[in-house]
Amino acid sequence: MLDGRSADLREKARREFPADLFGPIDHLSTAEQRDLTLARLRVLADLGGHEAGFSSRYGGGDSPGAQVGQFEVLGLGDASLMIKSGVQWGLFGGAVQALGTERHHAELLPPLLRLDLVGCFAMTETGHGSDVASLGTTATYDPATREFVVHTPDESCRKDYIGGAARDAEVAVVFAQLVTGGVRQGVHAFVVPLRGPDGGDLPGIRRGDDGRKAGLNGVDNGRLWFDAVRVPRTALLDRYAQVAEDGTYSSPIASENARFFTMLGALVKGRVSISGGAIGQTKVALEIASRYALRRRQFARPGAERGERGEEVVLLDYLAHQRRLLVPLATTYALSFAQDELMGEMDDLLKVQLAGGDPEPDRQRAFEAHAAGMKVAATWHATRTIQTCREACGGHGYLSESRLPQLKADTDVFTTFEGDNTVLLQLVAKSQLTAYAQQFSDLDTLGMARFATRDFVTTLAGRSPARSLVADVVEAGRVPDELHDRAWQLRMIADRERHVVESLAKRMRKARSRDDRDAFETVDGLQDHLLLAGRAHVDRVVAEAFAAAIARTEDGAVAALLGEVFDLHALALLEAEKGWYLEHRRMTTLRAKAVTHAVNELCRRLRPRTEELLDGFGIPRHWLASSLVPGSLAGGPPVAAAGAAALS
């Protein structure tokens, strides 16, 4: 069930990946880590699977979901290899596939899939970060030579943090402001060669090395500057815009803003990949910490004879330790099912793109918001959970050989690349407001009256002290049964989202009508509410995906176990947000206490099933590569020898 849509691919990886494809690399020098990662990437290119997301016309499998599935599997092993593969086949190859046309596909896809052509994805700039629309690099068309002149105007416009730019990349997809006839047409993508036939950098190309990072040191992140670099007119990836020989600009999308977001939407697969990779790394950390907690003992039980020391207690028998590990374990299950649903949605949309079409705009925008929200949820969950796992293993977890420090270091940047999480969460909230406004505008007079009545009733219910007092009395006899009712749990989670979005919309309208402040000041003053709306939305989406997965589970025993895992996830979420529920009178103090009691009871009930739930992750023991898990240190750096041969 947990393998989901990519079950066959995952099982193939478990069978066929060489024992030494993964293994610790953080003890190596930066150069050695990069050599080993590139060697492992070549092994992966020979094994296949990465090509699944590309058109079958060029050796692909017309299955974007399968490609992301392999990326997730790599997250169970070597994060540097995962990101290196994502740069080559997800970002670089994905940009060529999504933004290019037939000539780009025919020329570039076959060699980049074979790894005969190593590329990079040059979007981010030092001074612009998440503000892609304001990138400063320019690509100015010269009709006299029929070339674009790619140029870095100042230091704030250098391309930075670019995977592959420091060493391995031979070509880059560069995002720059297209200028023709003296008019800026917005950000577009261009294929820019970095090296000549002799292997040296071409004239006008300057590289820098970002050097040693907190993690992911097998990836050669670097900087790029362009000093009036000339590329042919055909270097423009022209699916959404064309420049004629005389410099005339044309596009099937009239609006520059719509064109920009269509282009970015075509690249959303990267966010889906990152959320999957983060979930994979979280699973590894949880398995290491939980298996350690199943055998590590600490403190004797009281009651031993004087002078004697009774058997010490297994760590995972302590309720506090169960809460530390089993609650995030339950949420990891929830996120896994939500990620699988997201991948299915992505697969459907990108297959339309592979066939030469474009998805329906409203559906595409909704998917982009969905992908952004999942990326936020999965990466913040990874950051919190891996830290918890490190602490749960004490001093042993701080040793490099436990692998936990490397997991922590490698995933820390996930919260900021492919979009800063705080920025993305606001994108999610704005998408909710758009959907809310659309729903509101579609109501007829009767619908408006019903909406107003419902709003009045829920507002009154949220403020009435009498209702709260009555609820305390009434609920005293029925709290336990309802707490485990899935419909009630989902309704509570959905009600929070609905209330937050409705109140946000009202505050937004009120702020705009109160004075003449501009839109920026209005939105800036409501950012805390925007972020809350985004979080509430993602919580609901994840919970509903988990519930849907249980509903389609045919094995009754598996469904029952997953049902208890769902209860733990949902009730722990309600417990974490009980301040909001109490503040808005959606939960009584009695109910809040009962929720905490139920979380404790679920931890105790699931404690004997912990190994079963860990086995559900399907991680081969030697992929864990941790001194805290007996029998997991097989494999490792022997690929380095093959890597040296490949590089030579």
Side-chain angles (χ1 to χ4, degrees):
M1 280 300 297
L2 209 59
D3 276 355
R5 290 169 172 81
S6 56
D8 292 344
L9 180 146
R10 293 173 189 268
E11 190 55 40
K12 182 175 184 291
R14 295 180 188 116
R15 287 195 316 267
E16 298 182 7
F17 277 5
D20 60 353
L21 183 63
F22 300 144
I25 66 171
D26 57 302
H27 60 289
L28 302 173
S29 69
T30 303
E32 288 171 332
Q33 288 193 46
R34 290 175 175 181
D35 287 346
L36 181 54
T37 301
L38 183 58
R40 287 175 170 177
L41 190 68
R42 296 195 185 283
V43 172
L44 196 62
D46 291 337
L47 288 170
H50 60 283
E51 76 287 348
F54 293 87
S55 170
S56 55
R57 296 182 62 187
Y58 305 103
D62 296 321
S63 179
Q67 182 188 2
V68 174
Q70 187 191 65
F71 184 91
E72 291 184 22
V73 170
L74 296 176
L76 303 174
D78 179 355
S80 283
L81 176 61
M82 175 180 71
I83 297 302
K84 187 81 169 174
S85 74
V87 169
Q88 174 68 17
W89 296 310
L91 295 178
F92 172 57
V96 172
Q97 174 78 62
L99 304 179
T101 47
E102 185 65 29
R103 63 172 174 269
H104 303 111
H105 298 163
E107 178 184 353
L108 299 173
L109 289 181
L112 73 83
L113 288 174
R114 295 191 304 266
L115 208 59
D116 292 337
L117 179 68
V118 180
C120 64
F121 183 85
M123 177 182 280
T124 303
E125 292 181 356
T126 302
H128 300 100
S130 298
D131 187 6
V132 178
S134 298
L135 294 178
T137 302
T138 56
T140 305
Y141 185 67
D142 180 358
T145 61
R146 298 175 185 172
E147 294 174 318
F148 285 101
V149 182
V150 181
H151 188 66
T152 304
D154 58 61
E155 280 299 299
S156 72
C157 304
R158 76 182 183 200
K159 299 296 181 181
D160 212 345
Y161 320 124
I162 310 302
R167 193 189 72 168
D168 295 334
E170 302 162 286
V171 64
V173 169
V174 177
F175 289 80
Q177 300 284 352
L178 190 158
V179 182
T180 181
V183 178
R184 283 199 175 203
Q185 300 291 351
V187 175
H188 293 66
F190 302 82
V191 178
V192 181
L194 303 177
R195 285 202 186 115
D198 62 353
D201 286 340
L202 291 167
I205 300 292
R206 181 159 65 97
R207 300 185 195 230
D209 195 325
D210 284 322
R212 192 82 177 178
K213 308 182 295 291
L216 299 175
N217 283 301
V219 183
D220 53 321
N221 293 89
R223 297 161 178 155
L224 292 171
W225 294 260
F226 306 95
D227 184 7
V229 175
R230 289 183 171 268
V231 294
R233 183 176 64 90
T234 54
L236 170 65
L237 294 176
D238 58 351
R239 178 170 186 167
Y240 297 111
Q242 301 78 39
V243 174
E245 291 185 359
D246 65 357
T248 302
Y249 179 87
S250 62
S251 172
I253 305 172
S255 164
E256 179 180 329
N257 192 53
R259 190 164 56 245
F260 173 72
F261 283 105
T262 299
M263 178 190 70
L264 290 189
L267 304 172
V268 74
K269 183 167 60 175
R271 284 179 186 155
V272 180
S273 299
I274 291 303
S275 61
I279 293 168
Q281 296 264 285
T282 306
K283 289 176 180 176
V284 173
L286 280 168
E287 180 146 5
I288 291 170
S290 299
R291 292 199 182 278
Y292 177 76
L294 285 165
R295 65 185 185 86
R296 175 79 159 93
R297 294 177 179 273
Q298 188 81 52
F299 302 112
R301 293 181 184 274
E305 294 292 332
R306 182 180 298 275
E308 295 182 3
R309 186 168 180 81
E311 186 178 37
E312 294 180 306
V313 179
V314 173
L315 280 184
L316 203 57
D317 285 345
Y318 291 106
L319 176 61
H321 215 76
Q322 292 167 11
R323 272 183 162 267
R324 292 173 94 178
L325 297 178
L326 297 186
V327 170
L329 177 65
T331 297
T332 302
Y333 262 77
L335 287 167
S336 296
F337 288 119
Q339 174 71 9
D340 187 59
E341 191 168 284
L342 179 69
M343 283 173 56
E345 192 177 341
M346 180 201 72
D347 202 52
D348 290 343
L349 288 172
L350 294 190
K351 280 177 178 175
V352 174
Q353 189 184 89
L354 285 173
D358 288 305
E360 193 273 322
D362 287 345
R363 187 181 177 192
Q364 175 71 30
R365 283 191 292 272
F367 170 70
E368 290 166 20
H370 187 185
M374 273 299 298
K375 188 265 182 183
V376 170
T379 56
W380 268 340
H381 176 67
T383 296
R384 290 190 302 267
T385 302
I386 294 172
Q387 174 64 22
T388 296
C389 290
R390 206 293 300 157
E391 293 179 20
C393 295
H396 291 292
Y398 197 61
L399 298 178
S400 179
E401 64 184 15
S402 74
R403 196 182 166 193
L404 292 170
Q406 193 61 41
L407 289 167
K408 180 176 167 59
D410 286 342
T411 57
D412 193 55
V413 73
F414 286 14
T415 61
T416 50
F417 69 21
E418 286 296 323
D420 177 271
N421 278 3
T422 301
V423 175
L424 290 183
L425 209 52
Q426 292 176 71
L427 183 154
V428 175
K430 289 172 184 176
S431 174
Q432 291 172 269
L433 286 174
T434 300
Y436 175 82
Q438 180 63 45
Q439 178 190 30
F440 198 79
S441 67
D442 288 344
L443 292 175
D444 56 18
T445 303
L446 179 60
M448 286 284 289
R450 288 173 176 167
F451 181 89
T453 301
R454 186 198 69 184
D455 187 61
F456 173 76
V457 170
T458 56
T459 300
L460 182 64
R463 292 178 178 173
S464 170
R467 180 191 178 280
S468 180
L469 178 62
V470 170
D472 269 337
V473 176
V474 172
E475 289 172 1
R478 63 184 180 89
V479 165
D481 291 334
E482 190 173 80
L483 286 181
H484 295 278
D485 179 71
R486 193 160 305 140
W488 176 82
Q489 294 164 352
L490 291 170
R491 189 164 59 248
M492 289 288 286
I493 295 168
D495 181 59
R496 174 168 165 259
E497 179 198 7
R498 183 195 62 78
H499 180 93
V500 170
V501 173
E502 287 182 3
S503 64
L504 175 61
K506 291 173 186 174
R507 289 178 65 184
M508 193 81 78
R509 286 197 300 269
K510 185 177 180 181
R512 286 174 176 166
S513 63
R514 186 171 57 244
D515 53 41
D516 60 355
R517 292 185 303 173
D518 62 22
F520 169 78
E521 290 175 321
T522 299
V523 174
D524 188 60
L526 295 174
Q527 279 195 330
D528 58 334
H529 209 128
L530 278 166
L531 296 173
L532 176 59
R535 290 199 308 273
H537 174 72
V538 177
D539 288 341
R540 194 260 303 167
V541 168
V542 170
E544 289 181 354
F546 194 175
I550 296 172
R552 64 175 180 266
T553 303
E554 297 178 358
D555 186 305
V558 173
L561 176 56
L562 289 178
E564 292 198 330
V565 176
F566 180 94
D567 285 349
L568 180 56
H569 166 71
L571 292 176
L573 174 61
L574 295 180
E575 182 187 39
E577 300 296 340
K578 66 182 177 183
W580 185 91
Y581 286 102
L582 288 167
E583 180 183 343
H584 292 83
R585 304 296 177 91
R586 274 6 187 233
M587 187 183 291
T588 66
T589 54
L590 179 65
R591 177 60 58 93
K593 293 176 182 178
V595 168
T596 295
H597 178 73
V599 170
N600 290 341
E601 286 302 309
L602 282 163
C603 284
R604 292 189 179 101
R605 275 160 46 187
L606 286 171
R607 157 65 180 92
R609 313 294 296 273
T610 302
E611 286 193 86
E612 192 175 348
L613 291 171
L614 295 175
D615 289 342
F617 288 161
I619 307 174
R621 186 60 59 92
H622 65 279
W623 287 9
L624 296 174
S626 171
S627 61
L628 303 186
V629 182
S632 72
L633 287 175
V639 177
L647 290 169
S648 64

